[in-house]
Amino acid sequence: LIKPTAVPEPDEAAYNAKIEKIKAEIDSGEQKVSAINDQVEKFKEQRGVHESGMNEVKAQLRAHRDKVRDTIKERDRIVEELKKQSEAIKQQNAKADKIRKELKITDSAEIDKQVAALTTQLETSSMGLSAEKEKVKEIKKLAGDKEKVKEWEAERDAVKQKRDEHDALFAKRQAKGDEITKMKEEEKALVAKLEGLRGGEGTPDGVNPSQRVNELFEEKARVIDGIKAKRAELKDANIAFRVKTAEHREYQRALQSYERKCERLEFAKRRQEQAERHEAVKEERKQRDKQRKEIRKRLESRMAAVAAGCQLFIGGLAIRATEEELKAHFLKHGEVTDVFVLLENDTQLSRGFGFITFATRAEAEEAIKENHGKEVRGLCMQHGRLNVKVAEKSKAQKEWEKNNL
């Protein structure tokens, strides 16, 4: 039985004051919406004029940016042409250098002078046929060198001409770069002008009409949301007051019924407690008798196992060795009917020895043979060995054998 949760009587005066306050806030919000509507109409008139000016500046900015892009493309085309000319100059210069390395004399007049001297020697001196052939060979070589000199001079002149063209094109690229810089400065001025217009520059109160209209719409939306919230709050307050009134009345009726039930249940509870105490005493006695019988039966079983030589003493156990681990290890030698490890009362750690009982003496003897003096990981302490032997007979064991065997 649960006592009804206390429900306080609703405060009607506080409820009425809250309703009046909410209604006043709703009226104030509606007046504010009306004032915002008047401001919106005013700024809408200014917005048309202001947007016309902004659109004009935007058009100028788009046209200017198109012009900048075209100029940048022209500059990039010149840069590509410069790269091509530089590569051509490099190749032609390499060709001219190669020809120059093959020449000992680079002056055509000097070559003509040497040819004339050799020709005079041929005509005036009486030299042998072999010497004349050498002179003729030298004249032919000088004639070939003269042709190479002409080719070298032509390549050199071509390189100079290309360098002049490259310099002129480079100057043109520089001019385009300066033009682009100037155009970007003009673009910045247009952007600044547009930003100024967006910020309200040129308007009567220095505020962007479009921005102000949007702000007013946002403010109006917030006020309307506030009015809706207040109306919802007013509705919730009415419902809450009616619910609290109904809950309080229901609580008063439930409390009267609860008090009557408590009186009847208290009497029945006392009768029930008395019967339960009697049953508990009977059950406690029954459990004690059952435990005594189980202990006696287990003790009889152990006594019989010791008498038959089936119980073994297991010494050398680790402090954390458990009965489950001991049983699991010795199961391989036969059926284990009982196992227990003696524990310290306080720590519940092994005292280092325990007992295990097999179904037959042969199994017990096999266990002694296989495990005595052996190191078993998990059961023994580190580097320790098991001490496995037939359990010794106590005084009580001998007395039991005398009376039962």
Side-chain angles (χ1 to χ4, degrees), residues 307-323:
C310 297
Q311 189 180 69
L312 303 181
F313 169 84
I314 312 296
L317 295 177
I319 61 172
R320 299 192 185 278
T322 64
E323 292 178 353

Side-chain angles (χ1 to χ4, degrees), residues 7-10 243-253:
V7 178
E9 184 177 2
V243 169
K244 285 181 179 179
T245 301
E247 287 175 345
H248 180 67
R249 290 172 182 168
E250 184 181 53
Y251 163 69
Q252 289 178 321
R253 292 193 298 270

Side-chain angles (χ1 to χ4, degrees), residues 99-310:
I99 295 170
R100 173 65 184 85
K101 288 178 181 179
E102 295 174 356
L103 296 173
K104 293 182 178 180
I105 303 172
T106 58
D107 187 1
S108 296
E110 179 62 27
I111 292 173
D112 290 339
K113 184 177 177 182
Q114 290 186 13
V115 169
L118 290 170
T119 303
T120 301
Q121 287 180 12
L122 284 172
E123 292 174 351
T124 58
S125 86
S126 55
M127 58 183 70
L129 182 59
S130 173
E132 285 182 0
K133 286 181 179 181
E134 287 296 326
K135 296 297 181 183
V136 171
K137 189 176 179 180
E138 287 183 25
I139 290 171
K140 287 181 179 180
K141 184 177 181 306
L142 288 170
D145 288 347
K146 184 176 181 180
E147 290 301 319
K148 285 187 178 181
V149 167
K150 288 179 181 180
E151 184 182 354
W152 172 68
E153 289 174 347
E155 292 293 335
R156 187 181 60 184
D157 292 342
V159 168
K160 184 177 182 305
Q161 182 180 355
K162 287 186 180 295
R163 285 188 188 278
D164 293 341
E165 292 173 359
H166 181 275
D167 292 342
L169 201 58
F170 183 79
K172 189 176 180 181
R173 190 201 70 80
Q174 289 289 97
K176 288 292 180 184
D178 295 340
E179 184 180 353
I180 290 169
T181 301
K182 182 179 178 183
M183 292 173 75
K184 286 190 174 180
E185 291 297 326
E186 293 171 355
E187 181 183 344
K188 286 181 182 178
L190 285 172
V191 170
K193 185 177 180 180
L194 183 61
E195 291 299 322
L197 289 172
R198 284 175 177 163
E201 186 178 313
T203 56
D205 52 1
V207 178
N208 187 331
S210 297
Q211 181 182 349
R212 186 58 180 147
V213 168
N214 292 335
E215 290 173 354
L216 287 170
F217 276 135
E218 290 175 0
E219 185 180 358
K220 180 181 175 181
R222 288 195 296 271
V223 174
I224 290 173
D225 289 341
I227 292 172
K228 290 179 180 178
K230 289 297 176 183
R231 284 176 177 162
E233 185 180 354
L234 181 64
K235 181 180 178 181
D236 292 342
N238 283 324
I239 293 172
F241 182 76
R242 291 168 59 189
V243 169
K244 285 181 179 179
T245 301
E247 287 175 345
H248 180 67
R249 290 172 182 168
E250 184 181 53
Y251 163 69
Q252 289 178 321
R253 292 193 298 270
L255 185 61
Q256 292 172 359
S257 298
Y258 168 76
E259 289 171 349
R260 287 193 296 270
K261 283 184 179 180
C262 283
E263 292 173 359
R264 291 194 297 269
L265 289 174
E266 183 63 28
F267 176 75
K269 182 180 178 182
R270 287 196 294 270
R271 295 285 301 273
Q272 179 67 25
E273 287 176 350
Q274 185 177 5
E276 287 176 355
R277 284 196 298 271
H278 180 69
E279 288 297 324
V281 170
K282 288 173 64 179
E283 182 63 24
E284 185 178 352
R285 288 173 180 171
K286 185 178 178 180
Q287 290 296 327
R288 282 201 301 269
D289 291 342
K290 183 179 179 181
Q291 289 176 359
R292 287 193 192 99
K293 287 179 181 179
E294 289 178 353
I295 293 170
R296 190 178 298 110
K297 183 179 179 181
R298 189 172 182 184
L299 185 59
E300 289 283 336
S301 175
R302 287 178 178 172
M303 291 288 189
V306 172
C310 297

Side-chain angles (χ1 to χ4, degrees), residues 53-87:
M54 286 183 63
N55 289 335
E56 183 179 347
V57 175
K58 286 179 181 178
Q60 292 176 5
L61 185 58
R62 282 194 296 271
H64 189 78
R65 283 174 173 168
D66 291 340
K67 188 177 178 181
V68 170
R69 280 194 290 270
D70 292 341
T71 306
I72 289 173
K73 286 180 182 178
E74 178 63 18
R75 184 199 61 186
D76 293 342
R77 186 192 64 77
I78 292 171
V79 169
E80 289 299 319
E81 187 64 27
L82 279 170
K83 289 180 181 177
K84 291 178 182 178
Q85 285 195 0
S86 295
E87 185 63 27

Side-chain angles (χ1 to χ4, degrees), residues 339-398:
V339 60
F340 65 99
V341 175
L342 274 74
L343 305 177
E344 293 284 351
N345 291 331
D346 296 333
T347 63
Q348 292 298 301
L349 296 176
S350 167
R351 294 173 63 182
F353 65 93
F355 296 89
I356 188 163
T357 305
F358 286 94
T360 66
R361 183 167 186 165
E363 292 172 345
E365 290 174 350
E366 182 186 348
I368 294 172
K369 181 180 178 181
E370 294 296 329
N371 292 279
H372 180 65
K374 300 292 179 64
E375 181 180 347
V376 180
R377 183 173 297 178
L379 288 179
C380 298
M381 68 184 79
Q382 191 172 9
H383 306 302
R385 297 186 179 184
L386 289 180
N387 179 12
V388 183
K389 62 182 179 179
V390 176
E392 295 180 359
K393 296 181 180 181
S394 63
K395 184 177 179 180
Q397 175 71 30
K398 293 175 181 178

